[in-house]
């Protein structure tokens, strides 16, 4: 982020203001990296959601529908979303205390889905503010993948929304959010190629651009297996058929690997096939980053299967001599929970998917390539059906030279949506104005939070609601119930709400220097004491005594109980917060912290200790770790055997053998020190008989039975050295 002014501005808006942010930019500009920074380093409470299961898993969050418990059908403005009391107490607490809602891949989110989120957030938070007053961080590129809308859905939504894109949301149009476009491209370095991609992204490629791209068209191109080309297609069936065709052409036995699925892990979120069919010679793509310190592979890296073992699969990547021993990995399906001890928001694993992190990859869809980078790709985008598909496909490549077009690119295949173009043009102007006012917006955020401390309209609204329900009970059911609630409402309307409104007007009229001065801070603390006393005087212990009401009308009793719960939670939260802020000087940090703790305590999540920041402002420099192969080599030089090193390092034998083979190939270890001479000779003869180093299994079959695969790997390393 250092040196990138756009990223710095984005961080300032997210971390030091309450303004919602739409973070956009070309492919490869660092949007995903920024998301990770917010999750790891923000002092605010962050919840991450995404429109699809795969996107959610990759972003380390959950799907929009699962988190907000939304139905799959379109949301109609004004329609009732699932009752808030269907949400667990913990889920309600998470929603009430989150500061930032991150929505990844926002370009794929429909306008009605964003309004459904707004509806849920208003139920649990401030009903008078869009999204309940939650700060949004929307990340995505409208000129890449678009929302999926069926013809039936489009017809239904057209009556309520001008466009299915997220910016057509009614709730979003009611807030003043800032758009920040990241411009520095990290994926591509060739300025000419970047310029070509920009023109395609905007939907206005010139004839010269199309001509340049079509110079990469080669209908007869057949890639060599070792080059690692991947074909990007528009439809799932095209990709699947091509992969099956290529796999069937390999004259080798199939090996099948079944995923182990534990708990709740829905099929639409599977990161690869539940039943994976592979052969020696199959081209595969890694679908997960290597979790080990060696970082041998990453999501999107291409390789070829070279052999199968009982516990791992050998894969060789283009340009690499060393093969990768791939073991099964786990993906976690998570939900957000509250740690009752620390009051930190954490993710709880509800399901696990365990499988080899591989998938057949002669071809994948353009949608599945989102977020990936390839050195070599064959692009078949002639059947592009959505705005942004061609751009996504082209921008997966690092270089123009690494791209081959399977079909010529037509100008009309670069689909442009005028609604998107008009929106982007308007946002560019608005973004410049917001960035120019950044410092002023920071000050406004301070004043907004200060004003929120004295906002009692939500409490008064809940009081009016319970009074209205009380009046429906037959007279004499609960003596004086309605009258008492009427008296409370009168007290709120005379001594609490108007005084709070006066405070809010005063805060907005004064300058930042005035409201942040020590003298005003003292006045704020005295104001907290005043309101706390007035709330105590208005309610006393009355509310606690009226929780359970008996009457024949069960529906009325239920409605009263729900209204009572809402009112009680809001009252207790306000009282706890006012008491806390009367004891400490006001700051954005202290207010956000105490507001969170107040919600938890009022909800029954009593903290055992105060929340501590996730990270200090000054991060200690990371200690550079020793290369894992070096560590193994040092232990070997100390005289430890392979078994002893494995036990010492808590690694399996084959990993240690791989480390030592590296030094055998370098000539730093004599292979005879690890493998008896008789076995070395036998393996060399087997290699010669097999016509060279091709398949380990063929070499193994030609060796005596006491020769292991580990022996073979070490001897082959010595042969490569010589």
């Amino acid at each position: 982020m250092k040196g990138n002014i756009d990223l710095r501005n984005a961080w300032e808006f997210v971390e030091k203001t309450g303004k919602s942010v739409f973070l956009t930019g070309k492919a490869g500009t660092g949007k995903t990296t920024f998301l990770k920074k917010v999750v790891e380093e923000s002092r605010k409470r962050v919840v991450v959601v995404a429109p699809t299961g795969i996107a959610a898993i990759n972003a380390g969050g959950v799907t929009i529908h699962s988190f907000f418990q939304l139905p799959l059908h379109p949301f109609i403005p004004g329609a009732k979303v699932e009752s808030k009391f269907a949400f667990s107490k913990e889920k309600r607490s998470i929603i009430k205390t989150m500061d930032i809602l991150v929505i990844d891949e926002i370009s794929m989110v429909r306008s009605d889905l964003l309004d459904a989120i707004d509806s849920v957030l208003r139920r649990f938070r401030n009903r008078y503010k869009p999204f309940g007053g939650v700060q949004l961080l929307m990340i995505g590129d409208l000129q890449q993948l678009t929302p999926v809308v069926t013809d039936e859905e489009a017809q239904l939504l057209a009556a309520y929304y001008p466009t299915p894109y997220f910016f057509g949301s009614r709730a979003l149009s009611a807030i003043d959010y800032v758009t920040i476009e990241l411009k520095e491209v990290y994926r591509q370095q060739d300025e000419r190629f970047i310029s070509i991609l920009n023109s395609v992204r905007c939907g206005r490629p010139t004839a010269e651009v199309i001509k340049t791209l079509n110079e990469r068209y080669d209908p007869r191109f057949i890639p060599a297996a070792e080059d690692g080309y991947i074909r990007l297609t528009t439809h799932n069936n095209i990709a699947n058929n091509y992969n099956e065709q290529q796999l069937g052409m390999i004259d080798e036995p199939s090996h099948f690997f079944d995923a182990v699925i534990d708990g709740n892990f829905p099929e639409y979120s599977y990161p690869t096939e539940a039943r994976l069919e592979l052969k020696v010679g199959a081209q595969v793509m890694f679908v997960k980053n290597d979790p080990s310190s060696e970082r041998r592979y990453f999501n999107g890296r291409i390789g070829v299967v070279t052999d199968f073992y009982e516990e791992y699969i050998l894969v060789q990547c283009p340009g690499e001599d060393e093969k990768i021993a791939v073991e099964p990995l786990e993906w976690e399906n998570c939900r957000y929970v509250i740690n009752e001890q620390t009051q930190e928001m954490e993710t709880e694993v509800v399901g696990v998917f365990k499988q080899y992190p591989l998938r057949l990859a002669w071809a994948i869809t353009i949608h599945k390539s989102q977020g990936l980078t390839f050195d070599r790709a064959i692009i078949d985008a002639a059947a592009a059906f959505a705005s942004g598909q061609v751009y996504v496909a082209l921008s997966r490549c690092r270089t123009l030279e690494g791209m081959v077009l399977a079909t010529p690119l037509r100008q009309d295949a670069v689909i442009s949506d005028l609604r998107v173009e008009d929106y982007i043009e308007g946002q560019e102007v608005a973004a410049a104005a917001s960035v120019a006012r950044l410092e002023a917006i920071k000050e406004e955020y301070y004043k907004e939070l200060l004003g929120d401390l004295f906002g009692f309209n939500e409490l008064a609204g809940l009081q009016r609601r319970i009074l209205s329900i009380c009046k429906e009970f037959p007279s004499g059911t609960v003596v004086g119930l309605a009258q008492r609630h009427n008296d409370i409402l009168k007290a709120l309307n005379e001594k609490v709400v108007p005084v709070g409104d006066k405070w809010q007007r005063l805060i907005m009229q004064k300058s930042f220097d005035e409201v942040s001065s020590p003298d005003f801070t003292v006045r704020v603390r005295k104001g907290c004491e005043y309101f706390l006393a007035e709330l105590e005087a208005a309610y006393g212990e009355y509310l606690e005594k009226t929780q359970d009401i008996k009457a024949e009308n069960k529906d009325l009793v239920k409605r009263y109980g729900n209204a009572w719960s809402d009112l009680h939670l809001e009252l207790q939260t306000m009282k706890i917060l006012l008491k806390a802020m009367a004891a400490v000087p006001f700051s954005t940090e202290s207010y956000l912290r105490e507001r969170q703790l107040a919600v938890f305590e009022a909800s029954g999540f009593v903290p055992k200790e105060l929340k501590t920041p996730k990270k200090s402002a000054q991060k200690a420099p990371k200690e550079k770790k020793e290369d894992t192969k070096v560590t193994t080599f040092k232990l070997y030089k100390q005289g430890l055997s392979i078994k002893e090193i494995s036990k010492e390092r808590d690694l399996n034998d084959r990993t240690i053998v791989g480390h030592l083979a590296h030094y055998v190939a370098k000539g730093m270890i004599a292979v005879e020190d690890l493998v008896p001479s008789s076995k070395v000779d036998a393996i060399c003869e087997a290699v010669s008989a097999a016509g060279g180093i091709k398949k380990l299994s063929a070499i193994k079959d030609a060796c005596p039975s006491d020769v292991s695969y580990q022996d073979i790997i070490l001897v082959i390393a010595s042969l490569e050295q010589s």
Side-chain angles (χ1 to χ4, degrees):
M1 197 164 70
K2 187 177 180 181
N4 189 319
I5 190 168
D6 297 319
L7 281 171
R8 288 204 309 273
N9 286 337
W11 177 257
E12 290 286 296
F13 275 111
V14 168
E15 189 69 4
K16 298 181 181 180
T17 82
K19 188 177 283 291
S20 292
V21 175
F22 170 38
L23 184 71
T24 187
K26 310 175 185 70
T29 51
K31 297 186 294 294
T32 301
T33 303
F34 184 80
L35 186 156
K36 292 177 179 177
K37 177 180 174 65
V38 170
V39 171
E40 294 172 0
E41 298 183 25
S42 176
R43 296 174 71 89
K44 297 181 178 179
R45 285 184 179 264
V46 181
V47 168
V48 181
V49 296
T52 66
I54 294 295
I57 295 292
N58 290 338
V62 298
T63 65
I64 293 171
H65 285 86
S66 65
F67 184 79
F68 292 104
Q69 299 176 201
L70 300 173
L72 295 176
H73 57 73
F75 173 80
I76 303 301
K80 186 177 180 181
V81 186
E82 187 174 359
S83 169
K84 68 173 125 182
F85 294 98
F87 290 71
S88 68
K89 179 188 286 187
E90 186 172 44
K91 176 67 75 66
R92 296 199 299 270
S93 295
I94 289 170
I95 293 175
K96 286 184 74 70
T97 59
M98 71 174 167
D99 300 308
I100 302 173
L101 175 67
V102 179
I103 307 176
D104 197 24
E105 301 292 1
I106 188 67
S107 68
M108 300 174 67
V109 176
R110 291 199 319 238
S111 51
D112 65 304
L113 185 56
L114 207 53
D115 279 353
I117 294 172
D118 167 71
S119 178
V120 174
L121 290 175
R122 285 180 189 255
R123 285 172 174 248
F124 293 105
R125 311 246 325 185
N126 191 327
R127 71 183 68 184
Y128 304 106
K129 291 185 177 182
F131 303 100
V134 174
Q135 183 181 18
L136 303 182
L137 172 57
M138 302 167 287
I139 301 177
D141 184 3
L142 279 165
Q143 291 167 311
Q144 294 191 47
L145 299 181
T146 58
V148 177
V149 188
T150 65
D151 292 340
E152 185 181 359
E153 290 170 338
Q155 188 175 357
L156 176 65
L157 294 172
Y160 303 95
Y161 295 100
T163 171
Y165 292 99
F166 78 91
F167 57 81
S169 157
R170 296 184 176 189
L172 190 65
S173 65
I175 64 173
D176 180 26
Y177 61 98
V178 61
T179 296
I180 293 180
E181 181 180 3
L182 304 180
K183 300 179 182 67
E184 186 173 345
V185 178
Y186 298 99
R187 181 175 291 149
Q188 294 90 15
Q189 302 299 320
D190 182 357
E191 291 297 330
R192 177 171 172 254
F193 188 31
I194 292 173
S195 176
I196 290 171
L197 292 176
N198 288 344
S199 68
V200 174
R201 178 175 182 261
C202 296
R204 303 189 193 92
T206 63
E208 184 63 28
V209 165
I210 296 295
K211 180 176 179 290
T212 301
L213 288 170
N214 281 332
E215 288 173 359
R216 306 303 306 167
Y217 168 57
D218 185 355
R220 299 179 182 177
F221 181 74
I222 301 175
E226 64 270 17
D227 289 342
Y229 275 86
I230 187 168
R231 182 177 291 262
L232 304 183
T233 69
T234 52
H235 294 74
N236 267 312
N237 63 319
I238 298 175
N240 292 337
N241 290 339
Y242 189 80
N243 284 328
E244 289 175 9
Q245 178 189 10
Q246 294 298 310
L247 189 67
M249 292 170 62
I250 298 177
D251 188 19
E252 294 282 350
S254 289
H255 295 254
F256 295 90
F257 306 92
D258 292 319
V260 178
I261 302 167
D262 185 26
N264 179 19
F265 207 109
E267 188 173 350
Y268 62 77
S269 296
Y270 289 176
T272 187
E273 301 296 328
R275 184 170 178 81
L276 188 61
E277 180 185 2
L278 298 174
K279 295 179 180 180
V280 169
Q283 180 164 296
V284 293
M285 181 179 73
F286 289 94
V287 293
K288 195 176 178 69
N289 296 333
D290 183 3
S292 76
S293 60
E294 296 179 77
R295 302 291 189 266
R296 300 162 298 171
Y297 56 84
F298 51 83
N299 186 18
R301 190 174 195 188
I302 302 297
V304 175
V305 176
T306 62
D307 219 329
F308 297 95
Y309 295 87
E310 186 175 345
E311 296 180 0
Y312 61 97
I313 300 170
L314 271 185
V315 175
Q316 188 164 24
C317 298
E320 297 286 338
D321 294 329
E322 191 174 348
K323 298 179 178 69
I324 301 171
V326 186
E327 299 175 316
L329 295 180
E330 291 184 349
W331 286 260
E332 296 175 342
N333 181 32
C334 300
R335 70 183 184 98
Y336 285 100
V337 296
I338 300 293
N339 184 313
E340 293 189 32
Q341 287 191 329
T342 65
Q343 297 304 296
E344 289 282 0
M345 200 149 55
E346 299 176 347
T347 52
E348 178 185 77
V349 178
V350 296
V352 175
F353 180 95
K354 187 175 183 179
Q355 178 62 286
Y356 286 94
L358 302 169
R359 70 182 310 144
L360 291 176
W362 285 283
I364 62 171
T365 64
I366 294 170
H367 267 75
K368 286 189 174 68
S369 75
Q370 179 77 348
L372 302 179
T373 304
F374 305 112
D375 291 320
R376 299 176 179 89
I378 302 169
I379 296 170
D380 183 5
F385 59 89
S387 170
Q389 269 197 322
V390 172
Y391 170 69
V392 171
L394 298 177
S395 62
R396 297 311 94 195
C397 302
R398 291 189 191 275
T399 64
L400 184 62
E401 291 71 27
M403 175 197 311
V404 176
L405 298 185
T407 53
L409 191 62
R410 304 189 315 272
Q411 198 141 7
D412 60 0
V414 183
I415 302 171
S416 176
D417 193 318
L418 291 176
R419 295 169 297 183
V420 172
E421 292 181 28
D422 291 342
Y423 170 76
I424 290 172
E425 286 179 8
Q427 285 301 299
E428 287 176 353
V429 176
S434 293
V435 171
R437 292 188 63 252
L438 177 56
E439 291 305 316
I441 293 171
K442 291 181 186 177
E443 296 176 356
E444 290 167 6
Y445 180 54
Y446 179 96
K447 293 166 70 174
E448 181 185 341
L449 292 182
L450 184 55
D452 283 348
L453 179 60
F454 300 128
F456 300 97
N457 285 302
E458 178 73 10
L459 180 66
L462 293 171
Q463 185 61 49
R464 284 192 295 272
R465 176 184 165 208
I466 200 168
L467 174 61
S468 176
I469 296 172
C470 289
K471 291 179 178 178
E472 295 183 42
F473 282 98
S475 59
T477 303
V478 180
V479 179
L481 180 67
Q483 184 57 50
R484 183 69 175 106
H485 276 288
N486 188 67
D487 292 342
I488 293 173
L489 182 60
K490 184 179 178 183
L492 292 179
N493 287 334
E494 290 179 355
K495 296 184 177 181
V496 178
V497 175
V499 182
D501 292 344
K502 186 178 178 181
W503 263 101
Q504 290 179 326
R505 288 193 298 272
L506 177 67
I507 290 165
M508 297 312 296
Q509 290 167 1
K510 288 184 174 293
S511 68
F512 173 74
D513 290 338
E514 288 176 311
V515 298
S516 60
S517 68
D519 289 344
F520 199 83
T521 300
V522 173
R523 289 180 62 185
V524 169
R525 294 169 71 173
K526 290 185 179 296
C528 291
E529 294 172 354
Y530 166 84
F531 287 114
L532 184 61
E534 291 299 331
L535 291 178
E536 290 284 4
Y539 285 95
E541 298 180 358
Y542 179 75
L543 197 59
E544 301 285 351
K545 297 177 179 178
T546 58
Q547 180 175 7
D548 298 314
I549 291 182
K550 297 180 180 179
E552 293 183 3
N553 190 330
K554 302 300 181 185
D555 180 65
L556 188 58
V557 171
K558 183 180 180 180
R559 285 166 53 208
Y560 176 86
N562 290 343
W564 187 95
S565 296
D566 286 344
L567 177 60
H568 183 265
L569 178 62
E570 181 68 16
L571 175 63
Q572 292 302 111
T573 302
M574 291 299 301
K575 287 167 63 177
I576 295 167
L577 178 59
L578 288 167
K579 184 178 180 180
M581 296 310 298
V584 298
F586 184 91
S587 66
T588 56
E589 292 80 9
S590 67
Y591 177 73
L592 290 174
R593 177 169 172 268
E594 296 300 337
R595 186 175 67 180
Q596 293 162 0
L597 294 173
V599 171
F600 287 133
E601 188 172 343
S603 305
F605 289 91
V606 181
K608 295 182 180 180
E609 58 184 2
L610 296 179
K611 176 191 171 191
T612 55
K614 284 181 277 189
K615 288 193 177 183
S616 61
Q618 286 283 73
K619 293 193 295 182
K622 290 184 178 178
E623 185 179 347
K624 190 174 181 181
K625 292 184 177 179
E626 183 177 67
D627 188 294
T628 185
K629 293 191 292 291
V630 174
T631 305
T632 296
F633 183 66
K634 286 180 177 179
L635 292 171
Y636 171 76
K637 297 298 286 183
Q638 293 174 18
L640 274 67
S641 67
I642 291 173
K643 288 285 184 187
E644 290 170 336
I645 297 172
S646 299
K647 186 176 180 180
E648 173 73 20
R649 301 205 60 198
D650 195 23
L651 296 171
N652 55 49
D653 289 357
R654 64 180 175 275
T655 300
I656 301 303
V657 168
H659 293 170
L660 297 177
H662 171 78
Y663 291 98
V664 170
K666 284 190 158 193
M668 298 172 67
I669 299 177
V671 69
E672 290 80 8
D673 294 343
L674 297 167
V675 183
S677 298
S678 58
K679 289 186 179 182
V680 173
D681 293 340
I683 294 169
C684 289
E685 290 177 10
V687 170
S688 180
I693 306 166
K694 294 180 179 179
K695 286 181 60 182
L696 293 187
S697 57
I699 297 171
K700 178 75 164 64
D701 292 341
C703 288
S705 59
D706 63 337
V707 172
S708 69
Y709 277 110
Q710 294 177 3
D711 296 332
I712 296 171
I713 290 170
L714 291 166
V715 173
I716 287 175
S718 72
L719 294 175
E720 290 174 343
Q721 185 265 331
S722 56

